[in-house]
Amino acid sequence: MRRRNAVAGAALAGTLLAGCGLGEGKAPAPARSDAKASASPAPSAQGVTVQLAAPPAYAADQGWQQTLNWMPQKYSSKPPVAVGARTDVVAYVTVSEDGYVTQARQASTGRILFTGKPWQPPTSMSEAGKYGYDGDSVELPSVATAVQDGREYVVTWAHGILGGDALNEGKEVVRLTVYPADASGDAVAPVREIDVPVRTSGPNGNNPESDLRVEDHGTGLQVHWTGPTNGTVAVNPATGAIDTCGDSCPLGRGEIRTGKGWLVQDSYGSFRVPGAWTAFDSPPPGASTKSQVSVNGFYRSTTRGHVFSSWHTPAEKTLSPLTAVHDATTGQVETSMPCEMKHGGAVASPNGRFIADGTAAFDLQRRQGTCLSANEQRKQGLFVKAVTDTGTAYGTLGNGTGDTATAEADLASGNGTPKLLPPGTVLPTWALKDTGVFLTAGPTGGLLVSALKHK
């Protein structure tokens, strides 16, 4: 099984580059132990050759692009691209004749910072006979960034089975391969590999990306998974230490690891750090202080160390007309506003001044919120996908895969009225200091990574 894994990356590369029916929704066949790896071209960044219909603030012809030709048309993992706001890095996974390769570039220039040594993922779940992703989707390695003790890391990760054979079940893990974001050179070895034991239930047909998440919410690197019991662990990329929720988890689901312990969401949806604070120690102004009333004080998400929550007022016990932001370590309310928030995934500007989740956005410097939900004047809510350092929020009207209308809103002005963008406008997946990073389909297949400069 290990030898079989040793050529999986190269065989996958050859299969995807050759096309091999992936356009028809077929996953590549597992590599055989006697398979001969064939070289695949390394990706190369270049000036902009495919001009995107970017928002007006971005120069569609200035920046750099790179196509990850090995990517299949459909897959059930997060795209193998991540950014680091602290170091202005764009990291991604590509392939070589010897396996998968992690590479990082400076977002503002496209300069290669480092290229990692080829590495092998654990045996895939489907190859190990556990379960597979339904139909035409492929589970692929991915990449994340995390900050630990002031230093940023690039963490490539893959899900699978270690040590399984015809007699032994093996161990299900998420393998983390860790590089400092400021590494340099070619064939750079990771500073460590960390295997995190997990127990998943198989693909979630509604949202396969939620099966496994490796990310940093501003409180350190964490691995989340869905399974017989949903799990969360915190991982220190500097030391390799793994911290489970422990005694706090029987009280609810561990969401994030803070400086005072695990923030836990209980069965009513409220949240606390056991032994330190509860959400009701610091409710937002005007909120009801009654717990267990239609999930009052409901945990929503965390980004850059700030927790989003929804609250009732004493007069409204079946709605959540207030949205608040708490400090994740202390639980103290930092700001709030009247807004029936529609959850969509938390994001933050590179400098951390602006944060948003779905239709609720905040300027933390001014401690002021902007509600972008539908109202009497607005037919649809604006779901924020990215925010710049100057407070421009980019989002879609609606939060489904078929929602293509886009708009922008100025969070710094205090007005925040959404402005429609031209039809077909492509939004940045991430906003960085001097660039926007866009992920789109490649011109001849694969995934196109575009870093476009601000005007």
Side-chain angles (χ1 to χ4, degrees), residues 107-128:
S108 57
T109 65
R111 177 175 61 89
I112 295 176
L113 300 175
F114 72 85
T115 302
K117 292 176 61 176
W119 56 274
Q120 306 299 332
T123 302
S124 70
M125 298 299 288
S126 56
E127 185 183 347

Side-chain angles (χ1 to χ4, degrees), residues 280-298:
F280 293 92
D281 292 340
S282 180
S288 171
T289 57
K290 293 183 179 180
S291 62
Q292 303 178 11
V293 178
S294 301
V295 290
N296 194 31
F298 188 73

Side-chain angles (χ1 to χ4, degrees), residues 8-172:
L12 177 61
T15 302
L16 297 182
L17 287 169
C20 288
L22 280 173
E24 301 171 2
K26 297 180 181 179
R32 299 183 324 195
S33 60
D34 60 350
K36 182 178 181 181
S38 58
S40 59
S44 59
Q46 53 188 349
V48 175
T49 59
V50 178
Q51 290 199 17
L52 305 180
Y58 294 98
D61 59 348
Q62 295 180 31
W64 57 270
Q65 291 178 320
Q66 176 168 315
T67 302
L68 304 181
N69 288 313
W70 67 274
M71 290 291 298
Q73 181 179 358
K74 294 185 178 181
Y75 47 93
S76 290
S77 309
K78 297 190 72 172
V81 184
V83 303
R86 180 180 289 261
T87 53
D88 193 42
V89 68
V90 179
Y92 48 85
V93 179
T94 184
V95 292
S96 75
E97 60 181 0
D98 297 317
Y100 290 97
V101 174
T102 304
Q103 192 168 74
R105 294 183 184 268
Q106 198 77 46
S108 57
T109 65
R111 177 175 61 89
I112 295 176
L113 300 175
F114 72 85
T115 302
K117 292 176 61 176
W119 56 274
Q120 306 299 332
T123 302
S124 70
M125 298 299 288
S126 56
E127 185 183 347
K130 302 298 181 182
Y131 59 75
Y133 277 71
D134 296 335
D136 53 10
S137 292
V138 183
E139 188 179 24
L140 301 174
S142 193
V143 65
T145 60
V147 176
Q148 181 71 46
D149 301 325
R151 191 178 191 187
E152 193 156 52
Y153 294 86
V154 172
V155 182
T156 310
W157 60 275
H159 174 221
I161 296 291
L162 293 180
D165 56 28
L167 292 175
N168 302 299
E169 286 289 335
K171 180 172 67 172
E172 184 181 358

Side-chain angles (χ1 to χ4, degrees), residues 149-417:
D149 301 325
R151 191 178 191 187
E152 193 156 52
Y153 294 86
V154 172
V155 182
T156 310
W157 60 275
H159 174 221
I161 296 291
L162 293 180
D165 56 28
L167 292 175
N168 302 299
E169 286 289 335
K171 180 172 67 172
E172 184 181 358
V173 300
V174 171
R175 169 162 290 178
L176 309 176
T177 305
V178 181
Y179 307 85
D182 58 0
S184 61
D186 296 324
V188 173
V191 293
R192 64 188 39 83
E193 287 187 341
I194 307 164
D195 291 330
V196 178
V198 300
R199 188 183 175 198
T200 61
S201 294
N204 176 348
N206 294 325
N207 185 13
E209 285 188 15
S210 70
D211 295 338
L212 280 171
R213 294 178 290 125
V214 178
E215 53 200 3
D216 184 352
H217 303 279
T219 58
L221 184 67
Q222 296 185 179
V223 180
H224 303 255
W225 66 91
T226 57
T229 57
N230 295 332
T232 304
V233 298
V235 182
N236 186 322
T239 66
I242 298 175
D243 180 9
T244 61
C245 196
D247 293 339
S248 297
C249 272
L251 303 175
R253 175 186 172 93
E255 295 290 352
I256 58 169
R257 180 70 168 83
T258 76
K260 292 187 177 180
W262 279 93
L263 186 152
V264 175
Q265 181 178 188
D266 64 27
S267 59
Y268 294 98
S270 188
F271 57 101
R272 54 179 163 164
V273 175
W277 54 263
T278 76
F280 293 92
D281 292 340
S282 180
S288 171
T289 57
K290 293 183 179 180
S291 62
Q292 303 178 11
V293 178
S294 301
V295 290
N296 194 31
F298 188 73
Y299 174 86
R300 291 295 189 177
S301 61
T302 305
T303 185
R304 297 292 286 269
H306 305 281
V307 176
F308 285 88
S309 64
S310 295
W311 295 77
H312 300 317
T313 64
E316 297 283 354
K317 296 184 179 181
T318 58
L319 299 174
S320 298
L322 295 175
T323 297
V325 175
H326 307 250
D327 181 280
T329 299
T330 66
Q332 291 297 306
V333 166
E334 299 177 286
T335 183
S336 64
M337 66 175 168
C339 185
E340 190 175 353
M341 169 190 177
K342 301 298 182 182
H343 178 60
V347 297
S349 62
N351 60 11
R353 173 179 169 179
F354 303 94
I355 62 173
D357 185 345
T359 59
F362 291 89
D363 180 344
L364 295 178
Q365 179 175 300
R366 294 191 302 150
R367 299 188 180 275
Q368 180 172 331
T370 301
C371 186
L372 300 167
S373 299
N375 55 31
E376 294 180 356
Q377 292 78 35
R378 188 181 305 137
K379 292 193 297 183
Q380 298 186 72
L382 176 65
F383 288 78
V384 179
K385 305 301 181 183
V387 189
T388 70
D389 276 347
T390 58
T392 301
Y394 294 105
T396 58
L397 301 184
N399 200 38
T401 56
D403 297 310
T404 58
T406 58
E408 64 181 25
D410 182 3
L411 305 181
S413 67
N415 182 355
T417 301

